[in-house]
Amino acid sequence: MKYLSTRGHADRKQFCEILLEGLAPDGGLYLPEHYPQVDDATLAKWRAIYRDQGYAALAFEVFSLYIDDIPAADLKVICDKTYTEAVFGTKEIVPLKELEDRFYLEALSNGPTLAFKDMAMQLLGNLFEYELARRGEELNILGATSGDTGSAAEYAMRGKKGVRVFMTSPYGRMSPFQQAQMFSLMDANIHNIAIEGVFDDCQDIVKAVSNDLDFKRKYKIGTVNSINWARLLAQVVYYFAGYFQATRTNAEKVSFTVPSGNFGNVCAGHVARSMGLPVETLVAATNENDVLDEFFRTGVYRVRGSADTHETSSPSMDISKASNFERFVFDLLGRDGDRVKALFGDALSKDGRFDLSADPAFKDAATHYGFASGKSIHANRLATIKDTFERFGVMIDTHTADGVKVAREHLRSGVPMIVLETALPIKFAETIVEALGCEPDRPAKFEGIEALPKRVQVMAADVEAVKRFIAQHCD
Ligand SMILES: *Cc1c(COP(=O)(O)O)cnc(C)c1O
């Protein structure tokens, strides 16, 4: 399998080449040249593999279609060591919970940091260690986080050979639980940098450091952001696993609702569906930051300015633009790289928006690709958390609540609905208390985490200071 850029660049690359890269050289995102098709016999075989051999074996089947520059035996070892009951808490790895008749939650957040990002990041940690060792190289991951991404990256990379993590976060602005999760890591290769500022300041620093090409080369700076194809690929697997649990035969269809921000999670659903997984509808659920809902309703994609980007109680979906959305638009426009370049490279940087409402392709988003969308705001979130707890005795987090709220607006009789549970409530305790008047359940392994010693460097929002810190810790 070769990979190409969504903006039409002529290069074709191997999986391991794009693994350690961010954007393509023309600013596009990487996608496989085609989506391998999973026929009925293969789907039946995978169903049996997941049932009899487990999630890691299913992951190996999916990855083998996309990765041909890692020997099969090595890839198998990587899958087996990534998706274990010890790390993810259950044998199924992503168990379904039926809330009511054929309305399910798929648990993606029982990994080390209690959010779905572990599903992909844990794989990335093992792939990075493998590939860096093979090349005899090192990598320093520099990132900015407002919570989930940074902790998932740190728990995936801790103790890994050849990798260091430098993670900036806005000082004092993450939830106490999230701060405790990140800052209590004592591994020598993990560095927390708390910036006196907001999340945007952190992101600006990461950009400024990455734009200093000499520094970037000298210190081998890389990222683990959500546009990485390997992260997306990892996420494809749990759409299959969810489908197999909710159905008995391949004649059945299911729908998924996905709490969405950067469009990474639901884009993996698009890939699974494009491979032939029998999916009826893929519902993107947004919070107050409704960039995606607006597009699927109107055909207009409009990036928000920072004044227009809301801080919400489902903070991991607080986005001003959806970084992975370009991948879907590439498929929607018949993989026309020149048009994607005109829209994402030119129109967005000039006007901050583009409009496909008059384009015949726009209606394909719903009719051919099965997309739908909806929006949920703070009051919906509170009501949904309360309702789910009172009627089913199940506590859900704020992001999952956005999903449940929107899923109910897209139910079709006879079609099971699977809502992806993207985090556990303990990560967003303040809103749970507001909705339920009681503290969320806490998994035993996180008892007393706030009281642990913390390893964090507090710093002014100063690019040079961050560079000095990185340089000092790279020797
Ligand atoms: C990252 C995240 C999301 C959004 O996922 P995208 O892939 O960016 O759409 C939703 N919920 C939680 C809890 C997250 O951490």
Side-chain angles (χ1 to χ4, degrees):
M1 176 65 77
K2 292 279 192 343
Y3 291 85
L4 46 68
S5 162
T6 52
R7 296 198 188 170
H9 197 282
D11 275 3
R12 295 293 179 272
K13 296 203 167 157
Q14 295 282 115
F15 176 82
C16 287
E17 291 180 272
I18 65 168
L19 172 66
L20 299 169
E21 254 182 62
L23 294 172
D26 58 359
L29 279 64
Y30 286 112
L31 272 180
E33 274 190 313
H34 66 274
Y35 299 119
Q37 294 303 297
V38 179
D39 61 16
D40 194 51
T42 310
L43 203 57
K45 187 178 104 184
W46 286 8
R47 183 187 288 277
I49 286 177
Y50 179 53
R51 187 191 58 221
D52 301 337
Q53 301 170 43
Y55 190 92
L58 175 64
F60 174 73
E61 295 294 320
V62 175
F63 299 163
S64 297
L65 299 176
Y66 290 95
I67 304 175
D68 48 22
D69 53 345
I70 295 178
D74 293 355
L75 188 58
K76 187 89 182 63
V77 170
I78 291 172
C79 291
D80 287 344
K81 103 172 173 199
T82 302
Y83 297 108
T84 66
E85 186 173 346
V87 173
F88 288 97
T90 64
K91 191 166 118 336
E92 296 82 5
I93 306 294
V94 291
L96 286 197
K97 186 182 293 166
E98 189 168 24
L99 284 187
E100 54 191 317
D101 188 34
R102 310 225 74 190
F103 187 92
Y104 302 94
L105 292 180
E106 183 172 359
L108 305 181
S109 39
N110 295 318
T113 73
L114 310 182
F116 90 97
K117 291 189 173 68
D118 291 328
M119 294 301 306
M121 212 66 97
Q122 288 287 315
L123 176 76
L124 212 61
N126 287 324
L127 283 173
F128 274 22
E129 185 174 50
Y130 174 85
E131 183 58 17
L132 289 168
R134 192 156 76 158
R135 297 182 186 191
E137 286 177 10
E138 289 194 347
L139 185 71
N140 291 304
I141 293 165
L142 174 63
T145 189
S146 53
D148 290 343
T149 309
S151 54
E154 292 188 351
Y155 279 75
M157 303 297 165
R158 62 188 295 201
K160 293 275 185 292
K161 291 185 214 66
V163 189
R164 290 184 198 88
V165 177
F166 296 89
M167 191 56 66
T168 63
S169 60
Y171 180 55
R173 285 178 187 258
M174 293 190 296
S175 77
F177 184 84
Q178 286 178 317
Q179 294 185 41
Q181 261 189 329
M182 286 179 57
F183 301 163
S184 63
L185 289 181
M186 294 295 148
D187 304 77
N189 70 328
I190 303 297
H191 302 281
N192 289 300
I193 305 175
I195 298 289
E196 290 169 332
V198 295
F199 175 63
D200 281 340
D201 297 315
C202 300
Q203 249 181 339
D204 289 345
I205 289 171
V206 170
K207 269 191 212 143
V209 174
S210 304
N211 287 339
D212 180 341
L213 295 182
D214 289 335
F215 186 88
K216 190 177 172 195
R217 212 168 299 123
K218 177 160 182 212
Y219 290 103
K220 308 201 162 32
I221 303 292
T223 60
V224 287
N225 52 26
S226 81
I227 54 142
N228 186 298
W229 165 255
R231 280 183 63 181
L232 215 83
L233 177 58
Q235 294 168 180
V236 170
V237 181
Y238 54 68
Y239 284 87
F240 283 90
Y243 174 77
F244 293 140
Q245 292 179 82
T247 60
R248 290 226 175 79
T249 75
N250 301 342
E252 297 173 69
K253 283 192 168 187
V254 304
S255 293
F256 287 93
T257 299
V258 187
S260 294
N262 274 319
F263 204 74
N265 200 354
V266 74
C267 193
H270 162 66
V271 173
R273 191 176 185 276
S274 300
M275 292 168 72
L277 185 68
V279 175
E280 173 97 7
T281 310
L282 283 170
V283 186
T286 74
N287 65 16
E288 289 86 338
N289 299 290
D290 58 352
V291 181
L292 291 167
D293 182 44
E294 180 172 276
F295 175 79
F296 286 111
R297 275 187 300 105
T298 67
V300 174
Y301 181 70
R302 182 170 59 90
V303 168
R304 311 291 199 252
S306 44
D308 255 350
T309 307
H310 309 282
E311 263 188 52
T312 76
S313 46
S314 44
S316 299
M317 289 153 54
D318 291 350
I319 47 111
S320 55
K321 61 182 171 59
S323 345
N324 272 291
F325 187 55
E326 180 169 336
R327 288 194 158 106
F328 172 66
V329 172
F330 182 65
D331 286 342
L332 184 66
L333 298 179
R335 301 204 137 201
D336 181 341
D338 291 335
R339 274 199 77 194
V340 170
K341 188 169 189 269
L343 294 178
F344 284 88
D346 308 332
L348 276 195
S349 48
K350 199 154 87 358
D351 311 322
R353 71 198 289 280
F354 60 75
D355 182 353
L356 292 181
S357 61
D359 193 300
F362 173 60
K363 68 170 191 333
D364 294 345
T367 55
H368 183 70
Y369 292 100
F371 268 97
S373 70
K375 168 179 173 174
S376 161
I377 64 171
H378 185 70
N380 302 130
R381 219 164 280 141
L382 295 179
T384 306
I385 291 169
K386 190 161 189 288
D387 174 67
T388 307
F389 190 62
E390 285 176 352
R391 287 201 294 145
F392 313 116
V394 174
M395 226 186 248
I396 54 174
D397 100 291
T398 52
H399 307 75
T400 308
D402 291 331
V404 169
K405 185 265 181 188
V406 172
R408 290 196 190 286
E409 299 161 356
H410 293 272
L411 296 179
R412 246 184 257 176
S413 82
V415 183
M417 174 61 84
I418 301 175
V419 179
L420 300 188
E421 173 211 79
T422 54
L424 291 195
I426 183 70
K427 297 195 85 168
F428 306 97
E430 201 183 323
T431 310
I432 302 300
V433 171
E434 189 182 345
L436 301 178
C438 64
E439 289 287 333
D441 312 326
R442 175 179 292 240
K445 62 182 171 183
F446 292 103
E447 242 12 283
I449 184 178
E450 288 90 343
L452 293 175
K454 294 187 171 52
R455 190 160 163 270
V456 56
Q457 179 74 43
V458 180
M459 249 183 242
D462 173 1
V463 176
E464 294 309 316
V466 171
K467 282 188 186 164
R468 271 198 304 278
F469 183 85
I470 295 174
Q472 272 163 19
H473 290 85
C474 279
D475 305 322

